[in-house]
Amino acid sequence: MLAANLVDVAAILLRNIILARLLPVDQFGLAATFSILMTMVETFQNVGINRLVVQDARADDLRFVASLHGAQLVVSIAAALLLAGAAYPFALAMGTPALASAYLLLAAVPLANAFLNLESFRVQRHGQFGPQVLRSFLSQPIGLLAIFPGFWWLGDHRAALFAIIGQQSAAVILTHVHMRQRFRIDFNGAVLRTALAFGWPLVANGLLMFLILNGDRIIVLQRFGPAALGWFSAAVMLTLTPANLIAKSLQTLTLPLLAKANGDPPRFQRIYDGVCSATACTALALVIGTLILGDVVIAFLFGAKFMPAATFLAALACMNALRLLRVAPTIAAMACGETRNPLYANLVRGLGVPIAIAAAAMTGAIEPMILAGIAAEFAGAITAGVLAHRHARNGGAYYQQLLLLLGLCLVAALSITWVSALGWLLLGPLAALLLLRCAAGVQLPRPFSVFRFTPTSWGRSHRT
């Protein structure tokens, strides 16, 4: 599963590296607008049907799966119509009206996804990840290779369209390969309502995530131009890609485990704490790795013309480290059938977007905009943890301890980047303490003991 997800993110990264090498920086910035719009495509159709078929106990009923296919068809057609209507306004908002027709072509993606075979996801309930692995191993390279005929034919940023549409089409076709149960479509009003009830918070959350993940890039394009968007997108990609890899892998592997352990609180808690440890360790590794190797990596992968991005790599890594940590409570809540957790957490995170806009407008610089995003991510991580611990009814003290320690590590990392290299003297001990806490090998010092509580005990003492 990890290898398949590595192929996913490596292919996307390599696709962008190839485009960055082929195109001038401003053309690469225009190509980045396709990936921004692709996030909107995924948002419009992301009602979580592929996760519902893993989470819902009725998924072993073939009629239920067929009804989910019907719900998927309805949602996909609606998503295609919404995207078609949004193409021209999006082009105006991005300042690229000449690309409206190219944006409209991406409406083909949700139409193709209407025929995704959910059987390839349903079998994950029984620990069978082969179909998803096959899809990743084959569809991503197809999308990667599609760049070259697109660039040979058009010679500009529109080559990114060939890659996106080629990969998405191949992924849909591959869900039908070696499936024992044939693809059937049925329509059931009750199942459609179930899917919409499960999915509307995910769609709303997706719209917030679209604003959060792409708000910074839209601000950069509007305030600083396509060339700045080009190198800023490279920096975002290098820090967001590994975070997405870990998040996707953990959700795929641990959602079925947590869903099955929903009635066994001690087992649920053990798995959840393990997910918290994994996200905290990988978040710390992302930040330290970026501090040490960021400049070298961006020069090697994208070339000297993208070196302005190096200034912001560590700060963007800090932002994505916090986003990665809050994956743990999100998965725990979803395992209990609660999909509003990420929505509410991202409502808090979304408050940072207007602050970032104001910071960029007032200072004419990118650094304050990123700092606003980091502060908002920290607030979102706190919110995600509190809500998940209420809905999943599990202890949250461990997550809160890790969040505090990671936050202190990020302060030290930012001081290294923007103040002095002496910040390593602070980051080293804090990183060691975080890793030891993840290994559950030591007790926290007394200043951190204030976080030794569970939501239940806090509520009881608060009422008292």
Side-chain angles (χ1 to χ4, degrees):
M1 191 66 250
L2 179 61
N5 287 337
L6 278 170
V7 169
D8 273 344
V9 299
I12 293 172
L13 181 60
L14 186 56
R15 181 174 76 199
N16 284 282
I17 290 171
I18 292 172
L19 287 170
R21 293 287 186 173
L22 291 174
L23 301 172
V25 177
D26 58 339
Q27 284 283 308
F28 182 76
L30 293 176
T33 64
F34 292 120
S35 66
I36 294 174
L37 186 59
M38 189 61 204
T39 308
M40 187 185 295
V41 173
E42 294 168 349
T43 296
F44 281 158
Q45 63 177 24
N46 181 27
V47 297
I49 293 178
N50 59 338
R51 281 165 278 181
L52 179 61
V53 80
V54 175
Q55 189 270 337
D56 200 295
R58 295 171 292 173
D60 290 326
D61 183 350
L62 297 182
R63 290 174 298 180
F64 179 72
V65 177
S67 297
L68 286 180
H69 283 144
Q72 179 178 258
L73 180 62
V74 172
V75 169
S76 296
I77 292 174
L81 293 174
L82 284 171
L83 183 62
Y88 187 67
F90 176 80
L92 291 179
M94 299 298 290
T96 55
L99 295 181
S101 58
Y103 295 148
L104 186 61
L105 288 176
L106 285 178
V109 172
L111 289 177
N113 287 334
F115 301 97
L116 200 74
N117 192 349
L118 294 173
E119 177 67 13
S120 62
F121 296 94
R122 187 194 67 82
V123 296
Q124 293 177 13
R125 287 178 56 84
H126 309 292
Q128 300 176 27
F129 298 98
Q132 182 163 338
V133 171
L134 176 68
R135 185 167 64 253
S136 296
F137 276 140
L138 296 181
S139 67
Q140 290 291 0
I142 289 172
L144 185 64
L145 293 173
I147 292 175
F148 298 103
F151 183 75
W152 174 77
W153 183 22
L154 301 171
D156 59 20
H157 55 274
R158 290 173 293 176
L161 273 177
F162 282 73
I164 293 172
I165 294 176
Q167 186 275 323
Q168 292 285 324
S169 301
V172 171
I173 294 170
L174 288 166
T175 62
H176 297 269
V177 176
H178 295 307
M179 288 292 102
R180 293 183 180 179
Q181 303 297 334
R182 66 186 182 88
F183 180 81
R184 293 175 55 240
I185 295 178
D186 194 9
F187 294 97
N188 184 305
V191 173
L192 177 60
R193 288 191 293 273
T194 298
L196 294 177
F198 184 86
W200 78 259
L202 297 175
V203 174
N205 176 63
L207 289 170
L208 281 171
M209 285 301 295
F210 172 80
L211 180 64
I212 292 166
L213 291 175
N214 298 292
D216 292 344
R217 292 201 285 175
I218 294 172
I219 295 169
V220 169
L221 176 62
Q222 293 287 350
R223 299 287 304 179
F224 306 104
L229 175 62
W231 52 254
F232 186 79
S233 293
V236 170
M237 191 186 316
L238 284 179
T239 55
L240 183 61
T241 298
N244 282 344
L245 167 66
I246 300 301
K248 183 178 179 181
S249 299
L250 284 174
Q251 179 172 295
T252 303
L253 293 172
T254 60
L255 179 59
L257 295 175
L258 286 168
K260 288 184 178 181
N262 194 12
D264 185 350
R267 182 168 176 244
F268 189 98
Q269 186 73 53
R270 287 194 301 272
I271 298 171
Y272 173 65
D273 288 348
V275 177
C276 290
S277 296
T279 52
C281 289
T282 51
L284 179 62
L286 172 64
V287 173
I288 293 178
T290 303
L291 283 170
I292 297 172
L293 299 173
D295 292 8
V296 176
V297 171
I298 202 163
F300 176 74
L301 294 180
F302 291 92
K305 60 186 177 182
F306 284 88
M307 282 309 293
T311 309
F312 311 104
L313 276 175
L316 289 170
C318 291
M319 184 189 302
N320 287 306
L322 290 167
R323 185 175 294 147
L324 177 58
L325 184 64
R326 66 183 172 104
V327 165
T330 298
I331 297 173
M334 191 176 298
C336 300
E338 176 54 65
T339 54
R340 289 172 293 182
N341 176 285
L343 170 61
Y344 296 148
N346 281 326
L347 280 172
V348 174
R349 169 61 182 92
L351 296 176
V353 175
I355 298 174
I357 294 173
M362 293 174 61
T363 64
I366 292 176
E367 292 90 339
M369 179 185 76
I370 300 176
L371 286 175
I374 293 173
E377 281 290 351
F378 192 81
I382 294 173
T383 305
V386 171
L387 293 175
H389 304 147
R390 289 178 181 175
H391 294 138
R393 297 181 178 86
N394 64 315
Y398 183 63
Y399 170 81
Q400 292 156 354
Q401 292 164 7
L402 295 184
L403 176 58
L404 174 64
L405 287 170
L406 180 62
L408 292 173
C409 289
L410 300 186
V411 171
L414 290 173
S415 71
I416 294 170
T417 303
W418 288 334
V419 181
S420 169
L422 292 176
W424 281 106
L425 298 177
L426 178 62
L427 179 58
L430 288 171
L433 184 58
L434 175 59
L435 293 175
L436 287 170
R437 186 62 187 130
C438 288
V442 294
Q443 295 293 320
L444 283 178
R446 184 172 295 276
F448 298 102
S449 62
V450 66
F451 291 90
R452 295 181 185 281
F453 60 78
T454 63
T456 302
S457 65
W458 183 88
R460 187 164 51 247
S461 63
H462 180 69
R463 289 192 297 271
T464 303

